[in-house]
Amino acid sequence: MHLFIEQLINGITLGSIYSLTALGLTLIFGVLDILNMAHGAVFMFGAFTAVLIVSKLGLPLWVGFLGGCIVSGLLGYALEMFALRPLRRRKNTSPLAPLISTIGVSIILENIARALFGSDTISFRTSISDINFKLGEIDINLINLVILAVSFTITILLYFWLKNSKSGRALRAVSENPDTAAFLGVNTSKVITFTVVSASCAGGAAGVLVAMAFNSVNNEIGLAMGLKGLAIIILGGMGSVNGAVAGGILLGLAETFVVAYGDSGYKEIIGFIIIMAVLLIKPQGIFGTTQKVKV
Amino acid sequence: MLQLKLINKNFGGVTALRNISLNVKAGEIVGLIGPNGAGKTTLFNIITSITKPDSGRILFNGKDITGLRPYRIAELGIGRTFQNIKLFGQMEAVENVMTGMHSVSRGGVCRCAFKFLGYRQEEQLLREKAQQLLSFVGLSGKGSEISESFSYGQQRRLEIARSLALNPQLLLLDEPVSGMNDTETQDIMRLITGIRESGISVLLIEHDMGLVMGVCDSVIALNFGHVIAVGTPAEIQKNPEVIEAYLGKTAEVVTNARS
Amino acid sequence: MLSYLNSYYIQIGSFTLINIMLALGVYVPLSTGQLSLGGAGFMGLGAYLSAIAVTRFGLPIPFAIVIAGGVSTLAGILVGVPSLRLKGVYLAIATLGFGEVIRVIFIKWETITGGATGISAIPLISAGTVRFLTEQNIIDSSNKNVASDLTVFLILFLITGFFVWFFVALKNTRIWRANSAIRLDETASESIGINIHYYKVLAFSQSAFISAIAGALYAHTVSYISPSDFTYHRAVEALIFTVLGGSGHVLGAVFGATVLTIIPEALRFLKDYRYVAFGAILVIMMAFKPEGIITDNIFRKIRKK
Amino acid sequence: MVRLKLNKIIIIAVSLLLFSCKADVPKVKGEQPNSQQSIKIGIIAALSGPAAGYGNSIVNGFTLAASEINKAGALNIELIIEDSAGKQEQALSVVKKLINSDKVTAILGPTLSTEMRLVGPEANNSGIPILATSNTASGITDIGQFVFRDSMPESIAIPFAIKKAIEKYHIKNVAMFYGDDDVFTKSAFDTMKSTAEALGLNITTIEKFQKGQTDFKAQLTKIKSTSPDALLCSALYNEGGVILDQARKIGITVPVIGGNGFNSPKIFEIAGSSSDGLIVATPWFSESVENPKVLDFISKFEKAYGSKPDQFAAQAYDGLFIMAHAIKTAGSADRNKIRDALASVRNFNGVLGKFSFDQNRDVDMEPFVLIAKDSKFQLLQ
C-alpha cells in the first residue's frame, strides 16, 4: 500500500512542476495567441543558472532560485523584444510566423547552452537534497515537499494576481480583446512584455525546481519539458490558468502511474497520446472555451 | 424555384428565425428587407447550409436540399455573395472568377498536371468565359490585377462576377450596394436587371429602399426573425407594420401626414 | 572521369534532394492552409516499410519503395480525415504527436523493426545498377564507390525532379486554384462549390506519399535506419526549409531545402555556433520577410520585365 | 519600390554567404611534400551534440598518442579530425570526405555504434582499415575485413562483472533498468539479460527509461518494492549518474552493476557519494600498479588536458599506437598491407595491458572488475 502513496507523492511533485511550466505557456498563449516553443529552452536556462550560482559560487539555494527566475525573465524580455515584437508590427503575418520564430529562438538558446555548459549532465548538490525521513512505512524526501510548497505558492500567487490586482485585470483584458483593452487606456505593449517576462520567470522557477528535484541539469531537458507543456495546456484548455494547473497534475500522475502499474516504456509518450486524443475529441480541452468562427 | 418551409433557428435561447416560409419563383427578383438583426444574413447562411436550421425544410426546384454540404448546394446552382466581401485577396481578379467555375469545370490531379485530353483548351475556354463575366460586371480591363488592390465598388462587382461563374439558377446577393454612392448603385441596379434577363432569379438583402423598390418584383419584410409582410414593393412601402418595424411607434403620425 | 568526382559533395547533394522532398511534404498541405509537422512520422513509416520489405521479405527495391509509398498514403488519409476538424497550430501539434507516436512504435515493435538498434545493411538503390556496370566492367573496384554514390544521386534527382515538375505544372490549374482558395477562405471556397474536405485530405495524403518516398529513398541511401532518425527535429527542419524558402511557391521549398542543407555543411567551421547561426537566420527571416525569399510577386515582377 | 529592393538584398546576401563558405570548404588538394613517411589518418569523433563528452576525451587520447609517435620520429602521423556530432548522416558525409577529399590511409572512430553501422561499410568497401576505439555494441567487426575494434564489447565485459558480483555478494534476485531508445544501452541490456538468465538469476522486474529523462523516481520506487539483491543498469553516464543518485536517495542500497557507459570519472562528479557500490568491468584501470605505462600515461594526459583520462581516452591512445605499430610492420602506406599487419597484432603492450585481436578482428583480453568506493574505482577482490 505504501508503494501507492510513494508513487502518489512522486506523481504530484512531478505534476506540480509540470503545472508551473504550463502556466508560463498558457499565459503567453492567452494574451498573445502564440505557442511559445522557446519556453523549454528558457526553462533550461533557469535551471543552469541556479546550478551555476549554488554549485560554482556556493551561494545558498534561495539565491540560486532568484537568480534562475531573473535570468529567465531577462530571456523572456529578449524573446519578446527581438522575436515577437517585430512580428506584431507587421500586419498580416500568418499565425505560423511566431511559432517558427520561437522555434528559432529555442535552437539558439539550446546551442548556446551546449557551448557554455557543455553537453554533459551537471550535478546539483544542495544542502537539503539529501535529507529524507520516514513517515510510518513511507520514504519521503524533503525536496519533494519543498517543491510542492514552492510551486503551489507561485501558482496561487499568480492566480490571485490575475484575479484582483490591477495589472492582472489589465492582462486578462488584453487577452480577451487587445483592441478594446487599448481603447480603454491599457498600455497593451507594456502588458504584453510584462506577460512574457513573468511567464518566463515562472518557466525559470520550474526549471530550478526540476534541478532541485532530480539533482541534475543537462541541455536536453528543455525540449522534452517544452513539448510536455504543450500537451498540458491542450489537455487543460488553451489559455486557461486552472486548465494548466489541472492538466499539469494530471500528466504528472498519468506518467507516474503508467510506470508504476504499466510499462515504463510509455512514460514519455503519454503526453503525445493525450494531445492526439484531446484534439480529436474535445479540441477546446477541459476548461477551454470554443472559439466561434464568425461569418 | 426556392421554397422555405417553417424554418426555425435559435442561437442558445435567442430565436434568430421563427417559422419562416417563403418562395422565390423562376426569373423573379425578390427583395428581403428588415432592420439590422432581423435574421436576414442568418437566413442566407441557412439556405447555403453554412448554418444548419433547427427545424424546417428547404426545397430547390422541388428537391429537398436541407442539410446538404455547402459545396453540394453550389453545384445545384445557388450562388451567393457575402455581406463583408469574401474575395480571394491575393489572387488576380480573373483567377477569382475562374476559381468560381470550379464546380462547372472538370479535371482531376493527373489531368491538370499532365494536361492531356484537351485540358489546355478547356483552361483557355474558362479564361475567356471569366473575361466575359468581368466585362459583364464592368471590370473588363482589370483581369490580371490583384483583387486586394480593387476599390470597394469594384470588389463588390468582382464578387458578383465570381458568384455568376458557376452559372447559377438562383443568386443570393447580400447587401450588394451597401456603402456605395448613387451612380454606383445605378450601375448595380442595371447589372441585377441584366442578370435577371439572362434567366437567373435573384434573392437580395438590401437596406437601400430605392434599389429594392426599383428592381424587385416582390419583397419580403422580416422583423425579429419572423415574416411581417410579403407583397409588391408598392404594398410593402405602405404597410404599417413594416414602417413601424423600421421607424418605431410613431407610425400613425407618418401615414396620416402623407395621406 | 569518375574518380575525379568527390562523393562528399555527391553525398550532400543526395541529402539535399531528400530534404527537398521533405520540404514539398510540408509545402503541399500548406497550400491548403494545413500546417503538418507529421512529415517525420510518414518519412519514418516509408523508410521502415521499405527497409523491412527488402531485408525481411526480399522484395526488389523499386517495388518495396512503391509499397511503402502506397501504405503511407493510406495512413495519410487515416490521419488526414480526423484532422479536418483541426485548424492552424492545433493541427501542427497533433501531427507532431503522430510523428512521435510512430517513432515509439518503431522502438516497441522489436521483433519487426529491430527496436532501438534499428535495421542495418539495407541494400542501396544503386546496388542493381552498380552490379550491372561492374559486369560490363565499365567501372572497376577502385571507383565502384563513387559510381554507386553517383547512381544514388541520379535516381534521387530523377524522382525529386519529377515531384517538383509535377507541382510546378499543377501551379495554375483548377486543382491548385481550389487549394489556394481553401487556404485563403474556407467558407467562401465551400460556397462556390469546392469540396474542401476532399481537397484537404488529398493534399494531406499527397504529403504523406512524398514524405514516405523520401523516407524509403533515405533508407536505401544510408543503408541503416533507427528510430532516432525520425524525431521532432526532422519535422521542424522540413517546415523551416519551406517557410524560409517561400511557402507560397514550389521553388521556394526547393530553394529553402537546398540552401539550408548546404549552409550547415558550409558553416562547419563554426563548430558549436553553427546551429546558433541557423536559429538566428530563422528569427531574422520571420521578423523581416515572413513570406520567405521566393514569392509570387518575384515571378510576377520577372514576367512584367 | 521598397519591397523590390528588400528581395534583391536578401537574395544577394544569401548567395554571398553561400559562395564565401564554398571557397574554404575544399582543402588544398595535392599531397604534402613527402619529406618523411607522413601518414594521413582520419579521425571521426562526436565533438558536438549529446555524445560530445565521449568524443572529446577520445580525441584527447588520439592527439596525445600522435604527439608521442611523431616525437619518437619513426613515423610522422597527420591527424585529420572531423566532427560527426553523433549524427549518422553527418558521420557518413564526413567519412566520404576523409576517403575522397583527404585520401586518408586509415580511419579511427567513429564514437557511437550507430555511426559505425554507416561508416563501417563505407570504409570497408573503399578498402580502408578502420579501428573503432569506443564502439561496444555487438556485431561491429562482422561489417567487413577492414573493420577492427580495440574497445571491449559488452558481450565480454558484462558477464565478467556479473559473475564476479555473484561470487562476492551471492546475488539471487536482480532488477533491470535500461534506456530502451538508444542502440548502445539497448544492446548492453540484451547482453545483461541473456547473462542473467544463463546464470539462473531471478529477474524481479525490467524497467525502462528514455533519453533526456531526468525523473527516474517512479521506476526506482517500483524497483525498490521488488527488493532485488542487485540492480543491473544499462545507461550512459549522463543518465547513469542521476539514476545512481536518485536510487540511493529513495533507499536502494544494493550493489549496482553497470555497463560500459558507467566507466568514467564523470560518474563521480554527477553521483558523488551515491556511486558507492557501483560495479563495472573494464579493460582500463587507472590504479593498476603493475603496468608502468599507465602511470606515465595518466601524468602526461593530466599535464596536457588538466583532467584524468577515462577508459575512452585510454582506448583511443592505445588504438593509435596499435595502428602506428601496424603501419611500421607493414613498412608502407599500402592499405591492404596495413590491414594484414593489424590483423596479426598479438600481445601488444599498451596502457590497457596485453592486447590482441582475435580471428575476427575483435578484442581478446581479460577486463578488470572494479567497484566504486568514496568516488574512486578499486579492484573488486
Side-chain angles (χ1 to χ4, degrees):
Chain A
M1 181 43 203
H2 68 277
L3 170 67
F4 174 77
I5 295 170
E6 271 174 24
Q7 293 289 30
L8 197 64
I9 296 170
N10 286 341
I12 293 174
T13 320
L14 188 61
S16 63
I17 294 174
Y18 283 162
S19 315
L20 205 50
T21 327
L23 262 179
L25 270 174
T26 277
L27 268 180
I28 293 183
F29 184 86
V31 170
L32 292 162
D33 245 347
I34 292 173
L35 271 183
N36 176 8
M37 304 295 276
H39 196 60
V42 168
F43 163 92
M44 171 190 59
F45 254 89
F48 268 117
T49 334
V51 167
L52 217 62
I53 294 172
V54 174
S55 307
K56 297 282 186 309
L57 310 179
L59 295 168
L61 184 57
W62 61 270
V63 175
F65 187 81
L66 274 181
C69 293
I70 292 163
V71 165
S72 351
L74 291 176
L75 282 178
Y77 184 77
L79 167 76
E80 204 278 326
M81 182 62 70
F82 298 113
L84 302 183
R85 182 161 299 180
L87 290 187
R88 269 209 308 286
R89 245 186 267 106
R90 300 176 68 83
K91 40 184 175 33
N92 51 13
T93 52
S94 78
L96 310 181
L99 184 81
I100 294 155
S101 180
T102 49
I103 287 175
V105 171
S106 74
I107 294 173
I108 296 173
L109 290 181
E110 258 164 44
N111 285 285
I112 289 179
R114 180 163 296 148
L116 291 180
F117 306 112
S119 57
D120 281 343
T121 308
I122 303 169
S123 78
F124 184 42
R125 305 243 72 67
T126 56
S127 49
I128 54 168
S129 61
D130 298 333
I131 309 157
N132 49 25
F133 51 91
K134 269 205 178 293
L135 197 62
E137 285 282 313
I138 308 151
D139 282 312
I140 303 171
N141 31 42
L142 185 60
I143 280 271
N144 281 5
L145 301 184
V146 167
I147 290 159
L148 278 174
V150 170
S151 52
F152 272 135
T153 26
I154 292 180
T155 320
I156 289 153
L157 265 177
L158 260 175
Y159 200 81
F160 285 108
W161 171 69
L162 272 176
K163 273 279 180 291
N164 25 41
S165 81
K166 184 172 162 307
S167 52
R169 275 197 298 281
L171 186 138
R172 276 191 292 121
V174 170
S175 77
E176 288 303 323
N177 187 329
D179 310 334
T180 16
F183 183 62
L184 300 171
V186 171
N187 174 343
T188 46
S189 75
K190 196 161 69 63
V191 166
I192 288 173
T193 320
F194 184 76
T195 326
V196 177
V197 169
S198 51
S200 305
C201 279
V208 179
L209 292 184
V210 161
M212 282 161 55
F214 310 132
N215 310 98
S216 68
V217 175
N218 64 47
N219 57 31
E220 299 275 322
I221 51 175
L223 177 67
M225 200 50 100
L227 293 178
K228 279 198 186 135
L230 291 186
I232 293 163
I233 61 173
I234 288 175
L235 172 68
M238 305 295 266
S240 116
V241 173
N242 25 30
V245 174
I249 303 284
L250 269 178
L251 184 64
L253 290 173
E255 283 192 354
T256 315
F257 284 114
V258 99
V259 167
Y261 300 105
D263 171 345
S264 51
Y266 292 100
K267 179 172 194 287
E268 288 303 302
I269 207 63
I270 291 282
F272 288 106
I273 293 173
I274 289 176
I275 287 183
M276 306 262 295
V278 166
L279 283 181
L280 295 181
I281 302 155
K282 194 168 185 296
Q284 67 280 11
I286 310 166
F287 296 98
T289 52
T290 45
Q291 283 112 340
K292 297 247 171 340
V293 175
K294 288 184 291 306
V295 168
Chain B
M1 169 178 278
L2 174 74
Q3 276 170 318
L4 268 62
K5 289 194 181 130
L6 298 172
I7 295 290
N8 282 295
K9 177 69 188 178
N10 41 49
F11 295 107
V14 171
T15 39
L17 296 170
R18 197 155 36 76
N19 296 348
I20 300 283
S21 302
L22 58 90
N23 61 53
V24 176
K25 287 189 279 307
E28 198 190 16
I29 296 182
V30 177
L32 195 61
I33 60 166
N36 282 341
K40 307 190 290 293
T41 303
T42 319
L43 193 62
F44 263 32
N45 288 344
I46 284 178
I47 295 171
T48 54
S49 94
I50 287 172
T51 10
K52 299 281 175 289
D54 294 346
S55 66
R57 312 295 322 140
I58 310 168
L59 303 174
F60 183 62
N61 296 340
K63 183 169 171 299
D64 187 335
I65 61 166
T66 337
L68 283 181
R69 295 249 318 276
Y71 81 92
R72 294 283 304 116
I73 290 179
E75 275 168 2
L76 291 172
I78 301 181
R80 75 165 289 179
T81 63
F82 292 87
Q83 195 176 5
N84 38 33
I85 304 183
K86 289 168 85 68
L87 277 174
F88 302 125
Q90 279 95 14
M91 281 194 194
E92 291 172 7
V94 72
E95 277 171 347
N96 257 287
V97 181
M98 286 167 79
T99 317
M101 296 179 193
H102 184 84
S103 54
V104 289
S105 54
R106 288 191 328 287
V109 176
C110 297
R111 223 156 79 71
C112 286
F114 301 113
K115 304 217 172 12
F116 52 84
L117 280 176
Y119 176 82
R120 272 193 214 293
Q121 294 82 347
E122 213 172 280
E123 185 79 4
Q124 196 46 33
L125 213 63
L126 286 183
R127 192 168 280 273
E128 272 149 28
K129 191 159 181 298
Q131 295 293 6
Q132 278 160 15
L133 276 174
L134 281 178
S135 37
F136 176 73
V137 295
L139 295 167
S140 49
K142 300 175 81 69
S144 56
E145 280 163 42
I146 304 282
S147 358
E148 254 170 359
S149 62
F150 279 30
S151 75
Y152 184 75
Q154 286 165 337
Q155 288 194 21
R156 278 267 173 228
R157 282 204 231 106
L158 181 58
E159 196 178 27
I160 293 174
R162 186 183 69 186
S163 59
L164 286 171
L166 49 96
N167 53 51
Q169 295 164 28
L170 168 67
L171 192 57
L172 309 176
L173 299 177
D174 199 336
E175 292 185 24
V177 290
S178 71
M180 284 194 184
N181 56 40
D182 276 352
T183 48
E184 284 170 333
T185 314
Q186 293 309 331
D187 293 346
I188 298 291
M189 268 174 78
R190 270 195 308 283
L191 182 60
I192 294 174
T193 33
I195 291 170
R196 199 248 297 263
E197 255 94 50
S198 63
I200 300 170
S201 28
V202 174
L203 174 65
L204 63 92
I205 295 177
E206 198 35 74
H207 287 293
D208 179 330
M209 283 310 150
L211 179 77
V212 170
M213 296 313 157
V215 164
C216 294
D217 306 331
S218 77
V219 175
I220 302 158
L222 277 183
N223 192 16
F224 293 113
H226 66 278
V227 175
I228 52 171
V230 176
T232 64
E235 287 157 4
I236 291 296
Q237 213 163 12
K238 290 204 283 316
N239 180 313
E241 270 190 55
V242 170
I243 295 163
E244 183 205 327
Y246 269 93
L247 307 178
K249 264 296 154 252
T250 59
E252 296 79 13
V253 169
V254 169
T255 40
N256 305 350
R258 185 165 296 143
S259 57
Chain C
M1 190 282 285
L2 271 186
S3 57
Y4 162 72
L5 284 177
N6 176 327
S7 7
Y8 173 51
Y9 298 128
I10 299 173
Q11 187 63 52
I12 296 176
S14 307
F15 284 138
T16 311
L17 291 171
I18 289 177
N19 283 341
I20 288 176
M21 279 191 265
L22 286 176
L24 287 179
V26 171
Y27 166 76
V28 172
L30 208 54
S31 73
T32 63
Q34 297 176 96
L35 169 63
S36 157
L37 290 178
F42 288 116
M43 180 188 180
L45 201 58
Y48 266 88
L49 285 173
S50 179
I52 292 166
V54 171
T55 50
R56 223 168 273 277
F57 303 106
L59 289 169
I61 296 178
F63 196 57
I65 293 180
V66 168
I67 291 178
V71 171
S72 306
T73 315
L74 289 182
I77 295 169
L78 278 178
V79 175
V81 171
S83 51
L84 283 172
R85 300 156 44 110
L86 303 177
K87 292 285 178 297
V89 180
Y90 297 119
L91 178 65
I93 303 297
T95 46
L96 188 68
F98 162 75
E100 291 298 311
V101 168
I102 287 268
R103 194 170 58 81
V104 170
I105 290 172
F106 295 153
I107 292 175
K108 285 280 170 281
W109 265 4
E110 278 183 50
T111 42
I112 304 165
T113 61
T117 24
I119 301 173
S120 44
I122 305 165
L124 297 175
I125 20 175
S126 59
T129 7
V130 167
R131 230 181 290 116
F132 170 73
L133 288 175
T134 22
E135 277 138 24
Q136 310 299 323
N137 47 49
I138 297 163
I139 53 168
D140 51 37
S141 65
S142 76
N143 53 21
K144 191 159 76 70
N145 242 332
V146 177
S148 133
D149 293 341
L150 197 59
T151 337
V152 166
F153 178 77
L154 290 177
I155 295 172
L156 281 175
F157 190 80
L158 284 179
I159 296 174
T160 318
F162 167 71
F163 282 135
V164 172
W165 169 82
F166 184 83
F167 285 108
V168 170
L170 213 55
K171 188 81 176 114
N172 305 330
T173 63
R174 172 175 180 274
I175 302 289
W176 212 261
R177 280 198 297 275
N179 282 355
S180 322
I182 294 169
R183 174 162 55 90
L184 294 169
D185 187 328
E186 282 194 11
T187 335
S189 318
E190 193 149 27
S191 72
I192 55 172
I194 299 174
N195 179 351
I196 59 173
H197 292 178
Y198 168 76
Y199 283 99
K200 284 173 94 171
V201 172
L202 176 70
F204 199 86
S205 48
Q206 278 171 340
S207 146
F209 177 75
I210 296 172
S211 306
I213 295 291
L217 292 170
Y218 172 79
H220 294 290
T221 308
V222 291
S223 82
Y224 169 76
I225 50 170
S226 73
S228 57
D229 291 336
F230 310 109
T231 57
Y232 155 83
H233 298 287
R234 180 86 68 183
V236 165
E237 244 175 43
L239 169 71
I240 294 166
F241 295 150
T242 317
V243 169
L244 266 187
S247 52
H249 200 281
V250 186
L251 298 184
V254 173
F255 178 80
T258 318
V259 166
L260 293 178
T261 313
I262 290 169
I263 281 189
E265 293 298 325
L267 291 181
R268 191 175 275 285
F269 59 90
L270 279 177
K271 281 249 170 316
D272 270 349
Y273 293 96
R274 173 169 41 160
Y275 285 103
V276 175
F278 199 46
I281 292 174
L282 253 184
V283 175
I284 294 162
M285 278 300 289
M286 276 303 116
F288 300 110
K289 202 151 188 343
E291 67 283 1
I293 296 169
I294 309 269
T295 55
D296 280 338
N297 50 35
I298 287 183
F299 288 99
R300 206 161 271 124
K301 286 193 183 60
I302 297 168
R303 243 186 266 128
K304 280 232 170 42
K305 279 201 185 55
Chain D
M1 248 335 267
V2 167
R3 268 182 79 62
L4 190 63
K5 256 207 257 61
L6 207 58
N7 290 351
K8 277 217 175 54
I9 301 162
I10 295 272
I11 291 182
I12 295 161
V14 170
S15 35
L16 254 180
L17 185 68
L18 188 61
F19 290 115
S20 63
C21 304
K22 213 74 184 126
D24 79 354
V25 169
K27 288 213 173 31
V28 165
K29 281 267 182 331
E31 298 296 326
Q32 281 89 341
N34 199 331
S35 59
Q36 193 208 19
Q37 226 182 2
S38 119
I39 308 282
K40 273 204 251 174
I41 294 186
I43 309 279
I44 306 174
L47 299 176
S48 58
Y54 298 104
N56 288 308
S57 72
I58 288 170
V59 165
N60 291 346
F62 283 138
T63 27
L64 185 63
S67 59
E68 281 174 32
I69 296 168
N70 290 346
K71 225 194 281 99
L75 217 53
N76 173 6
I77 290 181
E78 184 207 339
L79 294 185
I80 302 170
I81 299 169
E82 284 293 342
D83 172 21
S84 71
K87 291 213 188 86
Q88 292 124 289
E89 271 164 51
Q90 237 164 300
L92 187 62
S93 306
V94 154
V95 75
K96 289 192 188 246
K97 176 174 178 303
L98 289 173
I99 295 172
N100 299 288
S101 296
D102 308 310
K103 302 215 178 341
V104 292
T105 316
I107 297 177
L108 292 164
T111 312
L112 299 176
S113 308
T114 44
E115 295 170 314
M116 181 50 108
R117 293 214 190 283
L118 271 74
V119 167
E122 189 65 29
N124 193 53
N125 303 346
S126 324
I128 295 180
I130 178 165
L131 173 60
T133 67
S134 58
N135 300 162
T136 54
S138 47
I140 292 284
T141 48
D142 310 337
I143 292 176
Q145 285 303 327
F146 283 85
V147 181
F148 294 77
R149 151 162 59 189
D150 87 334
S151 46
M152 176 173 290
E154 296 290 359
S155 49
I156 300 174
I158 289 179
F160 252 91
I162 297 178
K163 283 201 200 80
K164 199 83 174 199
I166 294 174
E167 274 163 38
K168 188 126 185 7
Y169 296 97
H170 318 299
I171 296 165
K172 284 282 169 294
N173 314 315
V174 281
M176 301 190 79
F177 195 21
Y178 75 103
D180 72 354
D181 59 352
D182 176 274
V183 69
F184 170 71
T185 52
K186 174 69 174 50
S187 71
F189 163 73
D190 295 339
T191 322
M192 279 182 184
K193 189 160 182 288
S194 48
T195 322
E197 277 152 1
L199 299 169
L201 294 173
N202 159 32
I203 301 177
T204 57
T205 175
I206 298 179
E207 292 307 316
K208 306 178 181 111
F209 66 88
Q210 282 78 35
K211 261 188 258 185
Q213 228 177 3
T214 47
D215 168 31
F216 306 103
K217 287 200 176 140
Q219 293 99 321
L220 289 169
T221 317
K222 188 171 178 193
I223 288 172
K224 191 181 84 174
S225 68
T226 64
S227 52
D229 304 335
L231 172 62
L232 302 183
C233 182
S234 161
L236 302 174
Y237 61 75
N238 273 332
E239 280 92 7
V242 176
I243 291 173
L244 272 173
D245 188 55
Q246 288 181 14
R248 296 308 185 217
K249 194 150 296 149
I250 65 163
I252 299 178
T253 53
V254 295
V256 174
I257 301 166
N260 227 306
F262 279 82
N263 180 12
S264 144
K266 291 207 171 67
I267 277 285
F268 305 123
E269 277 167 37
I270 298 169
S273 61
S274 319
S275 60
D276 288 2
L278 169 65
I279 297 171
V280 173
T282 162
W284 159 251
F285 178 42
S286 50
E287 269 77 39
S288 81
V289 155
E290 75 277 8
N291 184 337
K293 278 183 171 251
V294 170
L295 299 175
D296 168 42
F297 166 59
I298 291 172
S299 63
K300 272 196 229 126
F301 191 93
E302 224 161 350
K303 192 151 52 56
Y305 304 104
S307 68
K308 290 182 119 175
D310 62 9
Q311 171 193 340
F312 301 97
Q315 281 165 194
Y317 182 77
D318 265 8
L320 191 57
F321 270 102
I322 294 168
M323 184 58 85
H325 169 70
I327 295 171
K328 261 183 251 150
T329 39
S332 86
D334 170 75
R335 292 183 181 132
N336 296 334
K337 285 217 188 71
I338 296 174
R339 193 216 75 77
D340 304 339
L342 259 180
S344 60
V345 162
R346 291 290 180 278
N347 297 332
F348 174 84
N349 201 325
V351 290
L352 300 172
K354 287 248 165 326
F355 176 86
S356 28
F357 284 117
D358 60 17
Q359 71 287 8
N360 47 38
R361 302 165 315 291
D362 212 330
V363 172
D364 170 13
M365 64 192 283
E366 292 243 338
F368 302 97
V369 178
L370 310 174
I371 181 158
K373 192 89 188 68
D374 314 328
S375 301
K376 227 165 35 38
F377 276 123
Q378 60 191 58
L379 269 179
L380 177 65
Q381 255 66 24

